[in-house]
Amino acid sequence: MALELDQIEARAGAFVLSADLTVAAKQRVAIIGASGSGKSTLLDVIAGFRQPTSGAVRWLGQDITKLSPNQRSVSILFQDTNLFPHLTIRQNLALALNPATGRLRAGDDDRIEASLTRVGLSGFADRHLSAMSGGQQSRAALARVLLQDRSILLLDEPFAALGPALKTEMLDLVAEVAAAEALTVLLVTHDPQDARRFASHTIVVEAGQAMSPKDTEDLLNDPPEGLRAYLGEG
Amino acid sequence: MAARLVSIIAALTVAGLVIGPVTAVILRAEAFSGFRPADWQALRFTLLQATLSAAISVLFAIPVARALARRQFVGRAVLVALLGAPFILPVIVAVLGLLAVFGQSGLLNRALEPLGLPELQIYGLQGVLLAHVFFNLPLATRLILQGWLAIPAEQFRLAATLGMGRNAMWRFIEYPMLRRIVPGAFAVIFVICLSSFAVALTLGGGPRATTLELAIYQSMRFDFDLARAAMLGLLQLGLALSAGMIALRVTSVPVAAKGLDRHVPRWDRTDKRAICTDALSIGLAALFLLTPLAMVTLNGLSGITTLGASVWQAAGHSILVALGSTALCLLWALPLATRWGEWLGLAGIALSPLVLGIGLFMIVRPFANPFELALYVTATVNAFVSLPFVLRILRPEAETIRTDFARLREAMGLSGWAWLRWVLLPRLKRPLGFAAGLTAALSMGDLGVIALFANPDRATLPLKVYQLMGAYRMDQAAGAALLLLIVSLALFWMFDRGGRVGS
């Protein structure tokens, strides 16, 4: 059972992305490629922000191509703006639990506190984003994703603004949470070290073509020509 | 989906408010037999006073703007902020202030008398021009100041290194900027003065100083000649629309100015002649703008304690109208804070309140007594007239919010209600407060459509001031005007402050 991109073709202006690949459920996969190669477009197609012009997206055998982002089993962490900065963490997480009203129901507070504890932010519920560090904000965003309770997690370079140590810490936390919750994770990154550390498999995107996932170690130890140039080894 | 429906409903009611009254006016105007000489005279006077008002305002604004651009002094920021105040100043309050300075027994005539000089007459063209310059000199100054501050500092630095003299700087740096900005400023003020009603009502009048708007009012109130009022309304509409189109073409300056509190470092500041001209320009402008307001306050202080019950009742009406039109305007503006919504809102500038008023009068008349609905109609028209300004304030922020959070909203699947309650309203709080303050103050001070409809039981405060002036009860008028000024500013302050707290 898996996430399938079946002969997908998606257009963004003059740019065309093609993808025909399968990601196994519960796998952690990195997506690497040069800027403008189509990595974010690929995530947009999976998340439902962009409709492919042809092909189908399937999850566990079910066609989800026409579903809107919030109808899919997908949650996503963007590069920025993962939480509303004018709301407290509790209000943000309440919106994730009850997107129709944003009101807290019985038991919601416990769930919010549990998810915050899970990401190491116990006692932070009533803080605003402005009173938190970059690392804490990333953790809070991860807590939001946990509460959304979706099977696929897409990470569009959400930790790019963090320092190397914090980024590693966050990737380890996501890996741990993903394993515990049996999540399928796709991580867009520029850094081959992230891919090595985080993902068993890696998708290379090159000039609008998304390749099938390969074993990360194999791929990085013997990169194909295009990837070698991108990694600065050629 | 629901959000789109709300937008469509808002757009349809606004469009209906344009199309309905205009159609009523057009249909009624068919019964009209032809223009009288007085009507042509009104058209001529309207164009003449608008041209002169715009020309004088812009001409005087140039030295004031230049002085503000190159000087820094204590109180400069306050003065620049005050330049925005006439926008929310009730016309009738300003008129009373101007009468206290330039009127028959005003300060100026009292000073001239011992010198044996002839008495100044305020009523007529000169009075209309005086009031229009009072209101529009600050606007022109702001627009031109913006142009001055937009000149890159490097140009003045270069001029200093080249040793350019005053004339060369004017010719190569300042004049090219003015040539770009001045036509737009002139056009904006011309359009504003075309629809002048309250000023013409109080300081004009008589066959030689009647604007089209005033002629519409007179044919409704005195002759009850609806066909003539409708035809004049149509003429006014055509005039305002064509002038508005021209203004949109030549206006390159945004009206909502930001950053006017900075100043440009220049190397000709120590020139003695420049210092004198600048001091004189700023001093005279401040004197011209502040003395009337000081006089209203002084004269009103004794009257405000002895105001009759009818004045307080009128104040109550005005506050209700102001709050009603603020609520209605914001209800329209929130879903219409988009590009096409702003285009629709521009109708609020093209369509004068009086034209809208007679149109609504004709629509309502077969079903109800329009005079009994005076306050509702006034609130609706005031909301409509404020809409373009409110949309100008809200749209940039609303669009930023929509763009910044579009993906997060979709990813979280927020409902329209949750979006409004938790994201849009909290983030728009500050511009919403400012817009609400502006609408409330504008509506509070409005003396337009209410003059068409009102009977003594349903007077608003500006109308009451006007009635007291007409009855030569000047102490009471001054007291009521001060009350009007206080309530207008208080409403503006409360909403604006409310928007700032915690945001």
Side-chain angles (χ1 to χ4, degrees), chain A residues 28-225:
Chain A
R28 293 203 302 274
V29 178
I31 303 172
I32 60 175
S35 292
S37 58
K39 303 187 297 290
S40 292
T41 312
L42 180 66
L43 278 203
D44 280 358
V45 170
I46 299 171
F49 289 115
R50 189 178 294 281
Q51 273 296 314
T53 38
S54 63
V57 184
R58 280 189 283 274
W59 171 242
L60 307 180
Q62 189 202 344
D63 189 345
I64 58 168
T65 321
K66 301 280 178 215
L67 297 184
S68 65
N70 68 306
Q71 291 170 321
R72 301 183 179 205
S73 293
V74 174
S75 56
I76 183 164
L77 287 186
F78 307 108
Q79 289 179 10
D80 46 35
T81 322
N82 284 302
L83 294 164
F84 295 107
H86 59 283
L87 301 179
T88 62
I89 299 302
R90 187 192 309 282
Q91 288 169 327
N92 266 295
L93 299 189
L95 271 176
L97 284 173
N98 308 310
T101 62
R103 292 219 179 82
L104 287 168
R105 292 178 295 212
D108 282 353
D109 257 331
D110 294 343
R111 290 182 65 191
I112 287 173
E113 201 45 52
S115 74
L116 285 175
T117 308
R118 183 92 180 73
V119 298
L121 286 183
S122 179
F124 276 68
D126 292 315
R127 291 224 194 166
H128 276 93
L129 282 192
S130 55
M132 293 165 70
S133 69
Q136 289 168 338
Q137 294 184 11
S138 298
R139 285 168 185 269
L142 189 61
R144 188 260 286 170
V145 161
L146 283 177
L147 283 175
Q148 283 184 285
D149 201 16
R150 312 272 172 92
S151 322
I152 304 170
L153 171 58
L154 306 178
L155 304 169
D156 190 2
E157 299 187 80
F159 313 128
L162 302 180
L166 261 182
K167 187 166 77 167
T168 311
E169 199 182 301
M170 279 310 298
L171 284 177
D172 289 349
L173 177 62
V174 173
E176 181 201 319
V177 165
E181 309 286 327
L183 302 179
T184 307
V185 187
L186 281 86
L187 163 78
V188 168
T189 180
H190 276 288
D191 187 347
Q193 294 314 318
D194 288 353
R196 268 189 220 276
R197 188 177 186 92
F198 182 79
S200 61
H201 288 71
T202 293
I203 295 171
V204 176
V205 186
E206 200 182 305
Q209 183 73 44
M211 322 287 183
S212 280
K214 301 257 167 50
D215 183 275
T216 303
E217 284 301 325
D218 292 351
L219 191 77
L220 292 176
N221 289 337
D222 182 19
E225 203 178 322

Side-chain angles (χ1 to χ4, degrees), chain B residues 398-439:
Chain B
E399 285 195 333
T400 308
I401 297 169
R402 277 195 291 264
T403 320
D404 286 358
F405 298 113
R407 286 160 66 88
L408 182 57
R409 175 190 183 176
E410 252 191 292
M412 293 175 71
L414 295 193
S415 68
W417 163 250
W419 170 253
L420 186 75
R421 160 75 182 81
W422 294 102
V423 186
L424 194 65
L425 287 181
R427 290 199 74 85
L428 266 184
K429 205 172 149 207
R430 188 185 269 259
L432 264 179
F434 179 59
L438 214 61
T439 311

Side-chain angles (χ1 to χ4, degrees), chain B residues 58 143 178-190 247 250-253:
Chain B
V58 169
L143 292 177
L178 287 174
R179 211 175 44 190
R180 207 164 37 82
I181 301 282
V182 161
F186 179 92
V188 167
I189 296 171
F190 180 82
V250 298
T251 307
S252 58
V253 283

Side-chain angles (χ1 to χ4, degrees), chain B residues 18-154:
Chain B
V18 177
I19 295 165
V22 170
T23 312
V25 167
I26 291 173
L27 291 177
R28 189 72 196 207
E30 277 184 356
F32 186 62
S33 49
F35 283 116
R36 300 183 209 160
D39 301 332
W40 291 117
Q41 172 64 28
L43 176 62
R44 269 200 301 276
F45 181 76
T46 304
L47 291 171
L48 175 73
Q49 60 81 19
T51 311
L52 288 176
S53 302
I56 298 171
S57 302
V58 169
L59 204 65
F60 284 134
I62 292 172
V64 182
R66 178 160 74 167
L68 286 171
R70 63 184 180 187
R71 299 286 156 203
Q72 259 191 320
F73 52 91
V74 179
R76 180 183 178 276
V78 176
L79 197 61
V80 170
L82 275 178
L83 290 177
F87 192 76
I88 55 165
L89 184 69
V91 175
I92 194 80
V93 172
V95 165
L96 263 181
L98 289 170
L99 281 173
V101 180
F102 300 97
Q104 205 170 9
S105 49
L107 285 182
L108 209 58
N109 273 331
R110 269 187 273 165
L112 291 175
E113 205 179 4
L115 304 175
L117 291 167
E119 199 176 71
L120 285 177
Q121 292 295 332
I122 193 171
Y123 293 99
L125 176 63
Q126 60 276 29
V128 172
L129 293 182
L130 195 66
H132 283 167
V133 173
F134 179 83
F135 275 101
N136 294 303
L137 174 66
L139 173 63
T141 306
R142 280 172 72 94
L143 292 177
I144 297 172
L145 178 58
Q146 221 178 324
W148 237 296
L149 295 181
I151 298 176
E154 290 76 15

